[in-house]
Amino acid sequence: MGWLPERRALVTGASRGIGKAIALLLADEGADVAFTYISASAAADETVKEIEARGVRALAFQADARHLEATEQVVSAVIKEFGRIDILVNNAGITRDRLLVRMSEQDWDEVIDTNLKSAFNFCKVVSRHMVAQRRGKIVNVASISGVIGNPGQTNYAAAKSGMIGLTKTIAKEYATRNIQVNAIAPGFVATEMVEQLDAAQVSELSKLFPIKLMAQPEEIAELVLFFACSASDYMTGQVLPGVYD
């Protein structure tokens, strides 16, 4: 039966990496899954096939989550097809890593808008429907960089720290509406994004973790599942960080 029978989920940035792992696990547990992506059309098509192979419905939307209008269009389409949204996972994110002295205004704006503003947009729009149905789960994928900082990631760390503040605040705003809002803050995860880091960054970051191994996307998805299912009904405003000293 699974942990999420007859649930409807929306995951941002789920054509690959952590987002795809989340979408597939939610599908494994019985949820219909809609997701967004920016440009990886072939990967999105493959993700749709893999979700549907699990016996649930899948929807993919090519949309720029930085824009509120695009967000509203996606949510309306999901509501029309699925009837409701029980679970929202804000996972969309990019990196533009540079030391502050070399970071351009564009580097800053793109990361803040993609990683933080997109979460604001989807929380704002989806929460309206969750309030009406008197139930909902919102899970934000932050980062350990947003908790402890990381040289070369001023923009990324600021965005993920902002996501943590967003999580804690809207958790309080919606606590009496039976909507739980939580976040996870992973450390090193074996994704294409981490592969972009140079050897020096990898070496420095690895010193922070007692377990000198990268997490797999599927392990992060398990944490999202916990916050998305009934096991966490009495938890809101929490941030589950990666392991570090």
Side-chain angles (χ1 to χ4, degrees):
M1 191 69 147
W3 284 97
L4 304 171
E6 299 182 4
R7 294 290 191 268
R8 279 74 169 177
L10 172 58
V11 185
T12 67
S15 62
R16 53 193 174 189
I18 294 173
K20 179 176 181 177
I22 293 167
L24 294 182
L25 183 58
L26 298 184
D28 281 335
E29 296 298 328
D32 295 325
V33 181
F35 67 91
T36 67
Y37 67 98
I38 287 289
S39 59
S41 297
D45 290 342
E46 180 60 30
T47 301
V48 167
K49 292 177 183 177
E50 291 183 47
I51 292 171
E52 291 178 337
R54 286 154 166 81
V56 298
R57 292 180 291 175
L59 297 171
F61 298 92
Q62 186 171 18
D64 191 337
R66 297 175 297 179
H67 302 298
L68 185 61
E69 182 178 356
T71 301
E72 290 172 335
Q73 291 172 353
V74 168
V75 173
S76 293
V78 175
I79 295 291
K80 181 178 180 180
E81 185 68 24
F82 284 174
R84 65 180 189 274
I85 297 172
D86 302 299
I87 302 159
L88 168 66
V89 182
N90 285 303
N91 170 76
I94 61 171
T95 57
R96 296 288 186 271
D97 292 353
R98 289 175 181 81
L99 293 175
L100 179 61
V101 68
R102 297 191 181 96
M103 187 172 290
S104 68
E105 182 179 10
Q106 183 177 358
D107 292 333
W108 173 269
D109 288 345
E110 287 183 355
V111 170
I112 295 296
D113 285 352
T114 302
N115 297 19
L116 181 55
K117 187 180 178 184
S118 67
F120 162 78
N121 287 342
F122 274 93
C123 285
K124 178 179 176 67
V125 178
V126 173
S127 64
R128 298 172 190 156
H129 300 279
M130 290 182 171
V131 166
Q133 66 198 27
R134 302 288 295 182
R135 183 178 72 184
K137 298 275 192 173
I138 298 175
V139 188
N140 294 324
V141 181
S143 168
I144 200 66
S145 292
V147 178
I148 63 175
N150 184 35
Q153 289 193 316
T154 302
N155 47 7
Y156 186 79
K160 294 301 188 178
S161 180
M163 184 177 279
I164 290 170
L166 174 74
T167 298
K168 290 181 174 293
T169 300
I170 63 176
K172 292 181 178 180
E173 291 183 359
Y174 291 120
T176 60
R177 304 300 183 95
N178 194 29
I179 299 171
Q180 292 83 48
V181 188
N182 294 287
I184 61 171
F188 254 160
V189 185
T191 65
E192 293 178 16
M193 188 179 293
V194 168
E195 289 173 1
Q196 296 173 10
L197 300 177
D198 60 36
Q201 288 175 306
V202 171
S203 176
E204 192 63 30
L205 278 172
S206 66
K207 297 175 183 177
L208 299 172
F209 300 93
I211 302 173
K212 307 300 182 182
L213 295 171
M214 286 191 189
Q216 296 301 310
E218 292 76 14
E219 293 174 298
I220 304 306
E222 293 282 356
L223 304 180
V224 173
L225 173 61
F226 170 69
F227 279 136
C229 76
S230 60
S232 61
D233 280 354
Y234 201 63
M235 298 180 68
T236 196
Q238 301 305 302
V239 180
L240 186 60
V243 180
Y244 66 95
D245 286 326

